[in-house]
């Protein structure tokens, strides 16, 4: 309504303070953010770990979506490629075996700390036995046996030799002790790689064998030139 009456009504509204409140945009946004930051609005929010996992799986999904888009045949083609890759990896693993960190056999008799004499291995074995550490005592006594045979030239020193190989080779020149050498090698393998625990009788058996081998006379095979006789 225009005219004097309309003007009079507008003036009265202004005088009475009935003008609508128009809050500026920036303070209004700050007020809203302050209100929404209250804990009551975030009780069911995911924690940091959940948010990180969600972001990770979103990334994985994005990678697979991109790969599926690039692979021939889409998702089905990607699945076929994955199966082929897994099959090739399994075939290589079966053919080549578990990769080794070095050329040293995983069942090698001696460790990589450097050569030690038979006397040193015997002393270490006796120290373990005195402390009732029978497993370690058996290991060191078997090493003493093989090192002693190497020092007497009944075995050629060879890095990476296993206990079974040493027993088989020594049995050719010491046939009377072949069975006990093989039993000693089995004891070594059982406690070193089989997870078994040695006892006093196992150690004493190797100790007796070591002492007997130290005085045993080797059988010289045709064509051999071993000069040590014990």
């Amino acid at each position: 309504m225009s005219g004097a009456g309309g003007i009079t009504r507008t003036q009265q509204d202004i005088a009475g303070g009935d003008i609508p409140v128009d809050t500026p945009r920036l303070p209004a946004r700050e007020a809203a953010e302050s209100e929404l930051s209250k804990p009551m609005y975030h009780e069911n929010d995911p924690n940091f770990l959940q948010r990180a996992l969600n972001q990770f799986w979103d990334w994985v999904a994005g990678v697979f979506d991109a790969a599926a888009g690039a692979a021939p045949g889409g998702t089905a083609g990607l699945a076929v490629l994955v199966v082929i890759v897994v099959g090739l990896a399994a075939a290589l693993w079966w053919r080549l075996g578990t990769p080794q960190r070095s050329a040293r056999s995983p069942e090698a008799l001696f460790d990589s700390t450097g050569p030690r004499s038979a006397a040193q291995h015997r002393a270490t074995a006796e120290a373990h036995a005195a402390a009732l550490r029978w497993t370690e005592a058996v290991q060191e006594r078997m090493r003493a046996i093989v090192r002693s045979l190497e020092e007497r030239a009944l075995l050629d020193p060879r890095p990476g030799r296993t206990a079974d190989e040493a027993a088989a080779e020594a049995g050719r020149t010491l046939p009377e002790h072949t069975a006990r050498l093989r039993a000693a090698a089995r004891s070594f393998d059982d406690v070193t790689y089989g997870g078994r625990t040695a006892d006093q009788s196992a150690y004493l058996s190797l100790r007796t064998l070591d002492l007997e081998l130290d005085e045993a006379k080797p059988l010289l095979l045709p064509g051999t030139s071993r000069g040590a006789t014990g």
Side-chain angles (χ1 to χ4, degrees):
M1 178 177 178
S2 61
I7 295 173
T8 302
R9 176 62 179 168
T10 301
Q11 292 173 344
Q12 290 175 351
D13 290 342
I14 294 174
D18 293 335
I19 300 175
V21 177
D22 185 11
T23 306
R25 181 176 300 176
L26 181 58
R29 186 179 65 183
E30 293 176 348
E33 292 176 350
S34 177
E35 176 67 21
L36 293 176
S37 66
K38 294 180 180 180
M40 61 183 292
Y41 296 107
H42 303 279
E43 293 177 351
N44 297 320
D45 287 356
N47 57 35
F48 174 78
L49 179 59
Q50 291 173 328
R51 292 197 301 272
L53 287 175
N54 290 337
Q55 292 177 357
F56 171 76
W57 289 119
D58 289 343
W59 175 80
V60 171
V63 171
F64 274 96
D65 289 342
T75 304
L78 177 63
V80 172
L81 290 176
V82 171
V83 171
I84 293 174
V85 171
V86 171
L88 289 174
L92 287 174
W93 187 279
W94 178 82
R95 180 65 180 84
L96 301 177
T98 305
Q100 300 295 327
R101 288 178 294 180
S102 66
R104 179 176 174 266
S105 169
E107 297 182 355
L109 183 64
F110 297 101
D111 53 32
S112 58
T113 58
R116 303 173 64 201
S117 67
Q120 289 174 317
H121 284 296
R122 288 184 182 118
T124 302
E126 289 295 301
H128 285 309
L132 305 183
R133 295 189 294 265
W134 302 116
T135 295
E136 293 84 352
V138 163
Q139 292 171 326
E140 285 301 310
R141 203 74 196 198
M142 184 63 193
R143 292 178 179 127
I145 290 173
V146 176
R147 185 66 78 205
S148 176
L149 294 174
E150 291 178 348
E151 291 174 351
R152 296 172 59 195
L154 298 180
L155 286 178
D156 293 324
R158 178 162 57 84
R161 175 189 276 123
T162 66
D164 290 331
E165 291 171 345
E169 293 172 20
R172 299 190 188 105
T173 54
L174 297 167
E176 295 181 359
H177 298 83
T178 299
R180 295 174 64 190
L181 282 166
R182 290 177 177 173
R186 283 195 300 270
S187 295
F188 177 88
D189 289 343
D190 287 344
V191 301
T192 305
Y193 310 110
R196 298 185 182 181
T197 302
D199 55 19
Q200 182 180 14
S201 62
Y203 174 69
L204 292 179
S205 177
L206 264 72
R207 184 177 183 274
T208 300
L209 176 62
D210 184 21
L211 296 176
E212 292 180 3
L213 289 175
D214 199 41
E215 298 181 358
K217 303 297 182 181
L219 174 65
L220 295 181
L221 301 176
T224 62
S225 58
R226 304 204 183 268
T229 58

